[in-house]
Amino acid sequence: MSLDRLNKEQRKAATQIEGPILILAGAGSGKTSTMTERIAYMIENGVSKYNILAVTFTNKAAKEMRERVETLVGDIEGMWITTFHSMCLRMLKKDPTKVGFDKNFLIYDTTDQKTLVKGILKDKQMSEKEFPVRGILSTISHCKENILSPQRYLAENEDNYRNRLIAEVYKEYEKRLKSNNAMDFDDLLLNGWRLLDQNSDVLEEYRRRFRYVMVDEYQDTNYLQYLIVKLLAEEHQNICVVGDDDQCIYQWRGADITNILDFEKDFPSAKVIKLQQNYRSVGNILAGAHSVIENNRQRKRKKLWTDKEDGDKIRYYRAESERDEARYVAQEIENLHVGRGIPWSNFAVLYRTNAQSRVFERYLMDRGIPYRILSGMRYYDRKELKDLIAYMRLIINHKDDISLKRVINEPKRGIGPKSLANLEHIASSMGMSMMEALLNGVGMSAFKGKTLVAVQKFTEFIRLLSGEQENLTVSQIYDELLVRTGYVNMLESEGTVEAEGRLENLMEFKTEIADYEKETSESGEASELGDFMEKLALMAEVDNHDESQDAIVLMTMHSSKGLEFPVVFLPGLEDGIFPGSRAMEDTAKMEEERRLCYVAMTRAKQRLFLLSAAVRTQYGRTDYTRESQFLRELDPRLVEGDAIYRQVRTQNSIDVSTGSRDGFSTDRPYKPFDMLKYAKEATKSNAKAQRGGNAFHKGDMVNHTKFGDGLVIDEDEKTLTVMFDSVGKKKLAKGIAHLRKQA
């Protein structure tokens, strides 16, 4: 095999097989090529495919790596190139009883988790308003990532009433998961670690097998993933991790930057190889990104370089307002598209928060410029798909109460909350799941009349398809469900545009199934519903980036990681927005924000535009802004356009202001105004004021937010009558009076 395609450092990384190795791979440095060539080199030098484990973070990355390795060495049967969650699932499917689960356990996604928590809150008579479901699930996820049981979490929060209640929800959540023979996504990692940590025979089996371990995007690993990797690699020490500490931007999702920073402490004999040649961006963009990131203290020193030309300087525009900012972006895109023939798809606008997209959409629409927003919304989160997936899960596992509750009355079968509660009570008293109670016949007593007939029909086709699933393809099962449930008839009879769109989604899902069946057929495997559902459950957030679509991409900076575009715009570079106001008071948060800035800048291949607004209206409030700290950290020699304010000291020590209109110095202590916090507080205050109508009485001089000054001339139990100077007499409901007394 020739390694001529690799540079000197890449070749060094690819040919270093034995012992621990840390590959620090900067943005655009060709890490995927290096990793695949390394695997190929190992195989050609006598390492068995069976002994190699390569772990990535996304299914897309794993698929790409498998395809590249197959191109280099041919068949890779026996090699594990997989994600952390898929790896743990594979291990758990082999030995589920060793962690207390039965065969055919389910994987609950976010929607299932929410349903479960909502049910617990209802049973415990806890308000969702006071205990938001998302917040509880976030706490549970954090606990699991840090191996914190409900009991330990409770013990650590004995003095906190609210957290004690959350601990009780967490405890019940775990109990119900277990009773449904189900795990959530965090459980896949947690139970995967338990399987290895608490079963020496299992650990020894996988250590014997995986003598060589490789981990991609190591900077994004959390504590559990770190423990799993350490367990597997500890004996043979043949571990290769690839990552870039400068691109660790997911600490809010559990990523622990210390895993990559402390790798040499965990493996003292580790060799460190730095991939610093960038193949993506021109020189000025790389130099600009480096001038920002080098201000981080918690990082491994490195500097990207390229043999490409310097290219255009980074362009900076200090807009008058957010509208002027959006106008400038739309105009520049149009000019470059028309004047230089650059396709629309070559442009990307990357912003810190989703709320920033609104004004850009408006200006792009006004100019007729095609655009699309890359969102985190999963195709599989659409209601009609969730319903059919729940049906398929119920066919596989009759213990799945959550799926049953979702579909037993979808399409409508006349089943009300009372009947469903009766069924749940009967099932619980018999020690069964709700579906098992129906199949057994004892659950039918919960229903009467036409509803009973409908439930009997529902039960029988679930029984039929469950019994026949081994004799049917996934496509056949899906078609049977569409017809037997009445789902297609329901949408057709509705006759609306929305219903037609939902039908299209259901039909498109048939393509997903067909692709799966094609893959299994080519690999010689059987098409099985259970296997299909596992693959479906493990799908990451859908990658909406379709390079074939000629449209500008609008997306968050976080979503842009791993992508690249010839021309990139970064708006909103103001203290308080980017970096956010909270980061200004926290060094660790500021460093993560700076890493995010570095990631965003290095998405650009040829041209990079940076923007800020002197005045910005956000959450209904208009304020003057200060240019972002990251702008002030940029090497001024790399920037053209508007000047960035910097403080210059003369020989006489007289401060001289240079640059743009904001008039702030670089080193002046500064805490930006927290617009979001203000907005929330203002909202609460306004709401309180709305309820203040009872404080006003006949004869009071008042001021109204819309009508101005007036006099209360009458009142009753529910209303105030006010004579306003501007509009005359108005009757106002006390609950929404929006009044304040005049002095």
Side-chain angles (χ1 to χ4, degrees):
M1 183 186 76
S2 175
L3 298 174
D4 293 343
R5 289 167 293 189
L6 305 182
N7 64 40
K8 181 181 177 182
E9 293 304 306
Q10 288 173 332
R11 283 197 297 275
K12 187 188 296 185
T15 55
Q16 180 69 45
I17 297 176
E18 302 296 327
I21 176 173
L22 168 62
I23 302 174
L24 290 173
S29 62
K31 71 174 176 77
T32 304
S33 297
T34 304
M35 289 185 72
T36 53
E37 294 281 0
R38 184 176 192 270
I39 293 172
Y41 182 85
M42 291 165 69
I43 293 170
E44 293 197 358
N45 283 271
V47 176
S48 170
K49 301 169 187 175
Y50 185 80
N51 294 139
I52 299 173
L53 169 66
V55 187
T56 70
F57 266 80
T58 67
N59 289 290
K60 182 182 177 183
K63 183 181 178 183
E64 183 183 355
M65 188 177 292
R66 280 195 294 271
E67 290 173 348
R68 289 202 186 189
V69 174
E70 282 180 333
T71 301
L72 292 172
V73 301
D75 180 47
I76 57 170
E77 186 179 355
M79 187 188 306
W80 283 28
I81 300 179
T82 183
T83 64
F84 273 104
H85 288 90
S86 294
M87 175 185 72
C88 289
L89 174 63
R90 196 166 177 179
M91 292 177 175
L92 290 165
K93 292 296 283 188
K94 184 181 178 185
D95 293 298
T97 57
K98 291 189 175 183
V99 289
F101 285 83
D102 298 334
K103 187 182 177 183
N104 291 326
F105 61 83
L106 292 170
I107 305 163
Y108 275 9
D109 63 12
T110 304
T111 302
D112 301 320
Q113 292 175 273
K114 288 179 180 176
T115 302
L116 198 58
V117 171
K118 283 181 178 180
I120 295 169
L121 293 176
K122 184 179 179 181
D123 292 345
K124 290 184 175 292
Q125 297 183 325
M126 294 168 63
S127 166
E128 286 189 38
K129 187 176 180 180
E130 188 177 353
F131 295 91
V133 173
R134 285 189 178 183
I136 290 175
L137 286 172
S138 177
T139 298
I140 292 173
S141 180
H142 178 76
C143 286
K144 290 187 178 185
E145 286 175 356
N146 292 280
I147 319 177
L148 205 62
S149 67
Q151 293 74 20
R152 280 189 58 195
Y153 181 73
L154 178 61
E156 292 183 3
N157 291 275
E158 281 289 352
D159 298 330
N160 188 311
Y161 175 73
R162 176 181 173 82
N163 288 353
R164 287 206 313 270
L165 290 176
I166 292 174
E168 290 299 320
V169 174
Y170 178 18
K171 182 180 178 181
E172 183 62 24
Y173 173 84
E174 290 293 275
K175 181 181 175 181
R176 295 190 187 187
L177 274 179
K178 195 67 178 295
S179 68
N180 285 341
N181 194 32
M183 302 183 196
D184 61 23
F185 259 47
D186 291 313
D187 284 329
L188 291 179
L189 298 180
L190 181 58
N191 289 325
W193 169 76
R194 284 172 175 160
L195 180 66
L196 297 172
D197 187 64
Q198 299 172 10
N199 298 275
S200 57
D201 57 328
V202 176
L203 178 61
E204 182 57 31
E205 175 191 345
Y206 287 111
R207 279 180 169 177
R208 276 198 311 271
R209 174 162 188 178
F210 301 130
R211 300 176 69 88
Y212 297 88
V213 178
M214 296 177 64
V215 184
D216 192 16
E217 301 288 3
Y218 193 63
Q219 79 279 350
D220 292 334
T221 52
N222 62 26
Y223 181 56
L224 264 177
Q225 290 161 335
Y226 160 79
L227 290 177
I228 291 168
V229 169
K230 201 164 185 293
L231 276 173
L232 290 171
E234 215 162 23
E235 182 177 342
H236 300 293
Q237 296 278 302
N238 296 325
I239 177 169
C240 172
V241 301
V242 185
D244 183 7
D245 51 301
D246 288 337
Q247 296 188 73
C248 181
I249 60 174
Y250 296 120
Q251 286 185 275
W252 53 277
R253 249 174 21 192
D256 188 350
I257 195 172
T258 61
N259 292 346
I260 192 168
L261 294 177
D262 293 344
F263 181 81
E264 294 153 276
K265 293 180 182 177
D266 294 325
F267 298 93
S269 62
K271 293 185 178 179
V272 180
I273 299 173
K274 298 178 181 180
L275 305 185
Q276 299 179 103
Q277 184 175 358
N278 177 282
Y279 295 92
R280 176 187 299 154
S281 307
V282 296
N284 283 331
I285 292 173
L286 285 183
H290 178 74
S291 67
V292 174
I293 196 63
E294 68 175 350
N295 289 277
N296 272 5
R297 295 184 178 181
Q298 198 179 26
R299 68 184 291 264
K300 292 184 176 291
R301 297 293 168 186
K302 54 191 165 305
K303 184 177 182 179
L304 294 181
W305 63 275
T306 181
D307 57 9
K308 294 178 181 286
E309 70 280 2
D310 289 342
D312 293 330
K313 286 189 176 184
I314 298 168
R315 183 89 182 168
Y316 174 60
Y317 179 68
R318 178 68 165 168
E320 296 286 350
S321 66
E322 75 275 6
R323 292 176 298 281
D324 183 41
E325 181 183 58
R327 178 204 57 78
Y328 176 85
V329 170
Q331 182 178 299
E332 285 295 315
I333 289 174
E334 194 169 46
N335 291 343
L336 289 168
H337 175 72
V338 175
R340 300 193 184 183
I342 300 175
W344 298 122
S345 59
N346 283 15
F347 299 95
V349 182
L350 313 180
Y351 35 76
R352 181 64 180 86
T353 65
N354 279 303
Q356 292 172 254
S357 72
R358 177 187 58 82
V359 67
F360 290 100
E361 290 187 71
R362 188 203 308 170
Y363 276 85
L364 292 172
M365 281 191 290
D366 287 347
R367 289 178 174 265
I369 297 174
Y371 74 92
R372 56 201 178 93
I373 298 177
L374 263 64
S375 71
M377 178 69 178
R378 284 167 46 117
Y379 169 75
Y380 307 97
D381 282 339
R382 295 170 183 175
K383 182 185 181 304
E384 57 273 16
L385 293 172
K386 295 295 293 184
D387 287 346
L388 269 294
I389 289 169
Y391 271 115
M392 291 190 286
R393 288 169 52 167
L394 198 57
I395 291 169
I396 297 170
N397 190 335
H398 297 158
K399 291 184 176 183
D400 187 9
D401 281 349
I402 286 180
S403 289
L404 181 134
K405 288 177 181 178
R406 180 180 185 95
V407 299
I408 194 171
N409 200 41
E410 193 65 44
K412 299 294 182 273
R413 298 185 176 94
I415 302 169
K418 187 176 179 180
S419 297
L420 202 57
N422 288 340
L423 172 61
E424 192 168 16
H425 176 74
I426 293 168
S428 179
S429 65
M430 299 293 293
M432 301 176 177
S433 71
M434 296 165 75
M435 191 69 242
E436 287 172 337
L438 290 175
L439 291 166
N440 192 270
V442 296
M444 293 299 174
S445 60
F447 308 98
K448 297 177 182 178
K450 291 182 179 179
T451 301
L452 174 59
V453 175
V455 172
Q456 287 172 333
K457 187 178 179 182
F458 164 84
T459 303
E460 286 310 307
F461 80 68
I462 294 294
R463 188 197 307 275
L464 175 66
L465 292 177
S466 295
E468 292 295 309
Q469 60 176 301
E470 292 182 4
N471 301 324
L472 299 170
T473 66
V474 180
S475 293
Q476 289 167 337
I477 293 171
Y478 184 71
D479 287 345
E480 288 287 336
L481 280 171
L482 287 173
V483 175
R484 288 177 180 271
T485 60
Y487 215 103
V488 170
N489 285 339
M490 174 189 72
L491 294 174
E492 286 179 334
S493 62
E494 189 175 319
T496 64
V497 174
E498 182 184 358
E500 186 177 334
R502 293 173 66 189
L503 268 171
E504 289 173 353
N505 292 333
L506 289 173
M507 295 302 112
E508 179 60 25
F509 193 57
K510 291 166 74 76
T511 306
E512 183 75 35
I513 295 171
D515 288 343
Y516 161 75
E517 291 179 334
K518 183 181 178 183
E519 288 177 13
T520 55
S521 175
E522 289 175 350
S523 64
E525 299 172 1
S527 167
E528 295 182 359
L529 183 60
D531 183 54
F532 174 72
M533 297 303 291
E534 286 173 9
K535 286 180 166 49
L536 196 64
L538 288 169
M539 284 184 180
E541 292 292 321
V542 65
D543 182 9
N544 294 316
H545 181 50
D546 179 7
E547 295 180 359
S548 65
Q549 186 176 344
D550 193 22
I552 296 161
V553 174
L554 295 130
M555 64 194 306
T556 64
M557 295 175 180
H558 279 101
S559 300
S560 73
K561 190 169 180 286
L563 302 177
E564 58 184 39
F565 303 90
V567 186
V568 171
F569 294 82
L570 305 183
L573 288 172
E574 302 138 29
D575 285 345
I577 293 182
F578 191 47
S581 53
R582 294 176 184 174
M584 306 297 290
E585 302 175 307
D586 187 310
T587 301
K589 288 180 180 176
M590 176 61 82
E591 294 213 347
E592 180 158 14
E593 289 279 278
R594 190 175 283 111
R595 290 193 293 270
L596 182 58
C597 183
Y598 175 80
V599 167
M601 292 178 72
T602 54
R603 298 313 93 194
K605 297 169 68 176
Q606 298 165 7
R607 300 201 68 181
L608 176 62
F609 292 79
L610 308 178
L611 304 102
S612 69
V615 175
R616 184 173 297 274
T617 302
Q618 194 180 22
Y619 309 121
R621 178 185 170 101
T622 302
D623 282 289
Y624 290 98
T625 72
R626 167 172 161 158
E627 291 167 309
S628 169
Q629 179 170 327
F630 304 145
L631 285 173
R632 302 193 300 274
E633 291 170 354
L634 265 176
D635 185 339
R637 296 170 296 181
L638 306 170
V639 185
E640 65 179 7
D642 289 346
I644 300 164
Y645 183 88
R646 306 172 194 277
Q647 184 170 308
V648 181
R649 292 189 178 273
T650 67
Q651 292 183 344
N652 308 343
S653 296
I654 299 173
D655 292 344
V656 179
S657 67
T658 68
S660 64
R661 301 181 286 271
D662 66 3
F664 291 103
S665 79
T666 305
D667 53 2
R668 173 180 171 182
Y670 176 70
K671 179 184 176 183
F673 187 77
D674 191 335
M675 288 189 179
L676 182 59
K677 183 179 179 182
Y678 169 82
K680 289 190 292 187
E681 290 176 351
T683 301
K684 293 175 184 177
S685 177
N686 292 338
K688 187 177 180 181
Q690 292 174 23
R691 298 190 296 269
N694 291 322
F696 301 98
H697 303 286
K698 186 176 179 180
D700 287 341
M701 295 296 297
V702 295
N703 181 269
H704 189 272
T705 51
K706 181 178 180 181
F707 304 129
D709 295 339
L711 172 69
V712 179
I713 59 174
D714 199 7
E715 72 168 311
D716 57 30
E717 187 178 345
K718 296 181 179 180
T719 65
L720 294 171
T721 303
V722 183
M723 181 64 74
F724 289 104
D725 298 340
S726 59
V727 294
K729 188 164 59 177
K730 290 284 183 182
K731 185 170 282 190
L732 308 175
K734 285 185 174 181
I736 50 172
H738 282 280
L739 296 172
R740 65 181 175 87
K741 285 186 181 180
Q742 296 280 67

